[in-house]
């Protein structure tokens, strides 16, 4: 590999995780870029040597991403999409979906919510939604993949599965509505870091940093301004995903009468996943978690959402 020439300052460079670059290194026949400590980029010209070994060396030295020209990024991600589409079910394609999701999340966090990153998010969500139907139950999903995926991807996967399965119990269900649920699951906590979760867990809401208290509104507003085509229901689920039927949720302290059914389904699904996760998704804890949900979500649209959850996880009360 050789160092390239001067870089056009107006050129759009798209980040790609080093894991994804390694996975599809055989499709590289173009130069790529590495970011220097001062924020500038240096171009590395393609050579016919073992590029996979080069990328693996980068990873060992702690490099987390490389950068590609937009057209080259589309070439590699297009190959990944083709691989995913050819495989029949979620089990066969889980690793590649995890790579695709992690890179989509990385794009949203590094270059912000915009054309390239939102397009990738929608495409990733469409592919995941298309594969979820091959899994018959959450417990099959947990048994096959718990501990095999990145934490963020696994939560998105479980939340999407639970939410879309709940939607499937209503007579107004449709693939379009399920896709909206998946987009909300992907984007709702996008700006929160591991450190943010630590600061939020077990601490009073008033002590949280402002960006944690307001993150549902902040994320929805950024998406709304960057992508006018994003469905209203997706933005509403994001804005309301931490509200509670008692009116003690955040950020707007909405009461149960102010929450539409689709948001109620998303809130119940999210609360179930968060509570069940604390038990490390122990099947033996399922009844207890569902019992708490039954006692918590009793009013308005939340009761219908809770009933949909019970049907989804195979519990009758």
């Amino acid at each position: 590999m050789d160092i390239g020439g001067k870089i056009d300052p107006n050129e759009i460079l798209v980040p790609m995780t080093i894991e994804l670059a390694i996975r599809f290194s055989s499709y590289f026949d173009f130069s790529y870029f590495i970011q220097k400590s001062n924020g500038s980029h240096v171009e590395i010209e393609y050579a016919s040597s073992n590029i996979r070994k080069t990328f693996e060396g980068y990873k060992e030295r702690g490099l987390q991403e490389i950068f590609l020209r937009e057209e080259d990024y589309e070439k590699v991600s297009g190959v990944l999409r083709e691989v995913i589409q050819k495989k029949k079910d979620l089990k066969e394609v889980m690793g590649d979906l995890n790579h695709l999701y992690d890179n989509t999340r990385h794009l949203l966090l590094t270059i912000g919510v915009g054309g390239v990153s939102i397009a990738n998010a929608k495409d990733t969500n469409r592919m995941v939604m298309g594969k979820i139907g091959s899994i018959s139950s959450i417990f099959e999903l947990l048994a096959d993949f718990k501990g095999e995926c990145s934490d963020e991807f696994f939560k998105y996967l479980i939340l999407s599965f639970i939410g879309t399965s709940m939607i499937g119990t209503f007579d107004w269900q449709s693939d379009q509505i399920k896709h909206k649920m998946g987009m909300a699951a992907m984007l709702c906590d996008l700006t929160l870091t591991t450190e943010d979760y630590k600061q939020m867990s077990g601490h009073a809401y008033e002590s949280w940093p402002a960006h944690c208290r307001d993150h549902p509104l902040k994320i929805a507003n950024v998406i709304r301004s960057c992508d006018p085509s994003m469905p209203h229901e997706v933005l509403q689920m994001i804005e309301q995903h931490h509200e509670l039927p008692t009116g003690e949720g955040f950020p707007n302290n909405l009461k149960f009468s102010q929450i539409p059914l689709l948001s109620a389904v998303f809130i119940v699904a999210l609360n179930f996943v968060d509570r069940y996760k604390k038990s490390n998704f122990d099947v033996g804890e399922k009844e207890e978690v569902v019992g708490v949900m039954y006692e918590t979500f009793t009013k308005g649209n939340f009761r219908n959402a809770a009933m949909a959850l019970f049907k989804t996880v195979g519990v009758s009360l």
Side-chain angles (χ1 to χ4, degrees):
M1 305 283 174
D2 297 317
I3 303 298
K6 188 175 181 180
I7 301 170
D8 182 352
N10 296 316
E11 192 164 40
I12 296 176
L13 299 180
V14 183
M16 174 173 284
T17 61
I18 195 65
E19 289 81 8
L20 189 58
I22 292 171
R23 170 73 174 83
F24 289 94
S25 57
S26 62
Y27 294 93
F28 276 67
D29 56 3
F30 42 78
S31 60
Y32 59 93
F33 301 81
I34 293 177
Q35 190 172 48
K36 298 165 66 175
S37 58
N38 64 3
S40 63
H41 295 85
V42 59
E43 183 174 6
I44 310 296
E45 296 288 353
Y46 173 78
S48 58
S49 58
N50 190 337
I51 192 168
R52 181 186 179 93
K53 187 175 181 180
T54 299
F55 289 162
E56 289 172 343
Y58 288 157
K59 182 179 179 180
E60 289 176 4
R61 294 195 293 275
L63 188 71
Q64 297 181 346
E65 63 188 359
I66 62 171
F67 292 80
L68 305 179
R69 292 183 171 91
E70 191 169 0
E71 62 269 23
D72 295 329
Y73 175 86
E74 286 301 322
K75 176 180 179 180
V76 177
S77 61
V79 172
L80 176 54
R81 294 187 197 102
E82 288 180 10
V83 169
I84 291 171
Q85 288 172 340
K86 288 178 181 178
K87 295 181 180 180
K88 293 183 179 180
D89 61 33
L90 189 60
K91 294 179 182 179
E92 292 181 293
V93 79
M94 178 62 78
D96 286 329
L97 280 175
N98 198 159
H99 280 309
L100 184 61
Y101 171 85
D102 286 349
N103 201 74
T104 297
R105 180 177 172 82
H106 187 69
L107 282 174
L108 289 163
L109 290 172
T110 54
I111 68 175
V113 177
V116 173
S117 59
I118 280 291
N120 271 269
K122 290 179 177 178
D123 198 51
T124 298
N125 184 63
R126 178 183 59 79
M127 290 192 168
V128 173
M129 293 300 102
K131 301 298 182 184
I132 277 180
S134 66
I135 298 294
S136 61
S137 76
I138 181 179
F139 306 108
E140 179 183 352
L141 191 64
L142 292 170
D144 287 337
F145 302 118
K146 186 172 68 174
E148 298 298 319
C149 309
S150 67
D151 289 344
E152 293 85 359
F153 176 62
F154 194 61
K155 180 174 180 178
Y156 158 64
L157 191 67
I158 293 295
L159 179 54
S160 296
F161 181 86
I162 291 292
T164 56
S165 297
M166 289 168 65
I167 288 172
T169 67
F170 294 98
D171 57 11
W172 44 263
Q173 65 168 299
S174 70
D175 287 343
Q176 185 180 31
I177 295 173
K178 291 179 179 179
H179 282 221
K180 292 176 182 177
M181 177 71 65
M183 281 303 297
M186 177 181 290
L187 299 172
C188 66
D189 287 331
L190 178 66
T191 60
L192 297 181
T193 65
T194 301
E195 186 59 33
D196 289 333
Y197 283 116
K198 290 179 181 178
Q199 291 182 313
M200 295 167 67
S201 180
H203 295 87
Y205 171 77
E206 293 76 14
S207 69
W208 295 357
H211 72 274
C212 292
R213 296 196 302 268
D214 299 336
H215 78 269
L217 298 179
K218 179 180 177 181
I219 295 170
N221 286 335
V222 170
I223 296 170
R224 186 179 287 112
S225 64
C226 294
D227 183 16
S229 69
M230 185 65 70
H232 167 71
E233 297 93 334
V234 174
L235 299 172
Q236 191 171 54
M237 282 186 279
I238 292 172
E239 289 177 335
Q240 298 177 350
H241 73 279
H242 285 301
E243 302 291 349
L244 293 171
T246 58
E248 297 174 340
F250 69 93
N252 289 323
N253 305 114
L254 300 179
K255 295 183 178 180
F256 69 89
S257 58
Q258 298 172 280
I259 304 294
L261 180 54
L262 192 58
S263 286
V265 169
F266 188 74
I267 292 167
V268 169
L270 177 60
N271 273 265
F272 173 77
V273 172
D274 284 343
R275 291 176 186 274
Y276 202 21
K277 184 180 180 181
K278 290 179 180 178
S279 72
N280 197 29
F281 298 107
D282 184 348
V283 175
E285 300 290 327
K286 177 184 69 171
E287 299 289 341
E288 182 177 346
V289 173
V290 170
V292 172
M293 302 294 293
Y294 183 77
E295 295 295 330
T296 303
F297 297 98
T298 60
K299 298 179 179 180
N301 286 322
F302 285 107
R303 172 48 70 209
N304 291 331
M307 291 302 178
L309 173 68
F310 305 152
K311 293 177 184 178
T312 295
V313 300
V315 173
S316 58
L317 293 172

